[in-house]
Amino acid sequence: MLREQGRAARPVLETAFPDPEAGDGDVIVQVHATSLNYHDVFTTRGMPGIKIVMPAILGLDCAGDIVNVGPGVDGWRCGDRVLVDPRNRLEGGLMGETIHGGLAELCRARAHQLIRIPENVSYVEAAALPCAYGSALRMMYTIGGISKGERVLILGASGGVGVCCVQLAKLAGATVIACAGSPEKLARLKQLGADHTVNYIQSDFVQEVYACYGKPARRGPGTNQGVDVVVNYTGGDTWVKSLRCLRVGGRLLTCGATAGYDPAEDIRFIWTFELKILGSNSWDREDLIQVLKLVESGALKVIVDRTFPLEDAAEALRQIENRDVFGKLVVTP
């Protein structure tokens, strides 16, 4: 739980909070797993234009068992294994932000947000999906249209969204260049199927792309040099560099800006190379259902770095903030 520490101070994590009660259309979920995302870090810092009412419970993504069914709820019963879609698409709001989230023993959710968990998918796997894997699938498939034979450069490939993007690109038949900041992370990305890896701390990823696929040019053979797609949800000083990697008609996909939302821009690359900048905003319910089916079938692996008990949630959040993670971190009450 977050509690405000004065007007200008950053919120602090606490543990005491009353149990939720089920109102009309609600269920109470006994939480078995909640995954953390960088969005939780943004929530603790405060986000422009979004009012976080304190105290607040973090945790967008949670999975567990229904233990109480409120009036007006049909089709669900106590004992059902459920994943909660964090987005309330009818009344509005986002769990773990403007609505109390899943970083607790019990969580109240609207019945229309529930998705049944297949028997061969664990609570930990299910809880890792919505924010990271749902966003990745929408960006790569629903919006981005990644296809067989394309060359795809993925920045921040070792994070929760990134490890899913690598797998989705390979499932589509693309060639993947994955960027991360340590040899250990690069080795694990290779195991996930990345064809090439780049240590962005030691090397300039633009020059690495040129070495593999040539420098893009507007005429002649150079029109097919570079990569077809860059996945960039970091922003910051990687933005213009990403544009420089794209072939004529290439696509830049983005679903966030963890390193800065107002980067320097060079629109000459956009019009000269006829580039397409495609934004993807979180996920739709259909994206989440599709990603859950891919996990159920075994086609998509849920990469969980570590799990933490609820009492160590603050440490898990610190590791997310320090980017000391490969894949997802999950809290298990």
Side-chain angles (χ1 to χ4, degrees):
M1 180 186 74
L2 290 177
R3 178 178 60 82
E4 205 162 32
Q5 242 192 352
R7 197 173 264 256
R10 186 172 174 179
V12 295
L13 287 168
E14 290 193 349
T15 56
F17 204 83
D19 289 346
E21 297 181 359
D24 187 57
D26 294 337
V27 300
I28 303 300
V29 176
Q30 181 181 358
V31 179
H32 290 297
T34 298
S35 71
L36 292 177
N37 301 277
Y38 210 84
H39 189 98
D40 296 302
V41 175
F42 289 145
T43 300
T44 65
R45 293 174 179 173
M47 293 176 284
I50 298 177
K51 174 65 175 177
I52 308 296
V53 179
M54 298 294 176
I57 300 176
L58 292 175
L60 281 77
D61 306 331
C62 72
D65 297 329
I66 295 176
V67 293
N68 191 7
V69 177
V73 174
D74 295 321
W76 299 100
R77 63 181 182 177
C78 291
D80 285 345
R81 302 172 73 241
V82 294
L83 170 64
V84 181
D85 181 349
R87 291 182 60 189
N88 184 328
R89 302 171 194 280
L90 297 185
E91 296 91 2
L94 182 68
M95 295 183 67
E97 184 190 82
T98 57
I99 305 169
H100 291 319
L103 203 61
E105 294 174 335
L106 297 172
C107 175
R108 177 172 55 209
R110 303 292 286 164
H112 61 74
Q113 294 176 251
L114 303 180
I115 298 173
R116 201 174 303 275
I117 301 175
E119 287 302 318
N120 65 332
V121 177
S122 71
Y123 295 110
V124 168
E125 290 173 320
L129 296 180
C131 188
Y133 281 55
S135 295
L137 186 134
R138 181 168 186 79
M139 175 172 58
M140 299 291 281
Y141 286 2
T142 310
I143 301 294
I146 302 296
S147 62
K148 183 177 180 179
E150 291 192 307
R151 300 184 293 261
V152 181
L153 172 67
I154 301 173
L155 306 184
S158 63
V161 175
V163 295
C164 186
C165 287
V166 170
Q167 295 181 76
L168 292 175
K170 294 304 298 180
L171 285 174
T175 298
V176 173
I177 310 98
C179 299
S182 74
E184 295 77 16
K185 290 180 178 180
L186 295 177
R188 295 183 71 177
L189 289 167
K190 276 281 191 180
Q191 293 173 355
L192 275 182
D195 299 281
H196 307 284
T197 57
V198 178
N199 187 327
Y200 65 82
I201 293 176
Q202 298 177 349
S203 304
D204 182 348
F205 68 83
V206 178
Q207 296 305 316
E208 293 290 331
V209 167
Y210 292 174
C212 287
Y213 303 113
K215 183 177 180 179
R218 291 175 293 168
R219 292 178 291 274
T223 58
N224 290 320
Q225 293 179 168
V227 297
D228 300 279
V229 178
V230 176
V231 176
N232 183 334
Y233 54 88
T234 59
D237 60 7
T238 64
W239 187 257
V240 173
K241 287 185 174 183
S242 297
L243 300 177
R244 293 170 56 197
C245 294
L246 287 164
R247 65 164 178 83
V248 173
R251 314 190 297 285
L252 192 156
L253 309 182
T254 182
C255 67
T258 57
Y261 65 87
D262 56 349
E265 182 62 277
D266 191 334
I267 64 173
R268 294 174 298 177
F269 287 101
I270 298 173
W271 60 260
T272 300
F273 288 85
E274 297 185 338
L275 304 180
K276 302 173 183 66
I277 312 299
L278 301 177
S280 181
N281 186 11
S282 67
W283 61 93
D284 278 350
R285 185 179 177 89
E286 292 75 17
D287 302 314
L288 190 50
I289 290 172
Q290 184 179 350
V291 82
L292 190 57
K293 287 180 178 177
L294 287 172
V295 173
E296 181 184 13
S297 71
L300 186 63
K301 297 178 182 178
V302 180
I303 308 301
V304 175
D305 193 323
R306 281 154 288 169
T307 61
F308 292 78
L310 184 58
E311 57 268 25
D312 291 339
E315 172 60 19
L317 188 65
R318 185 191 68 80
Q319 294 194 24
I320 289 280
E321 187 166 13
N322 292 342
R323 305 182 191 276
D324 186 22
V325 182
F326 185 89
K328 297 286 291 180
L329 293 184
V330 177
V331 174
T332 54

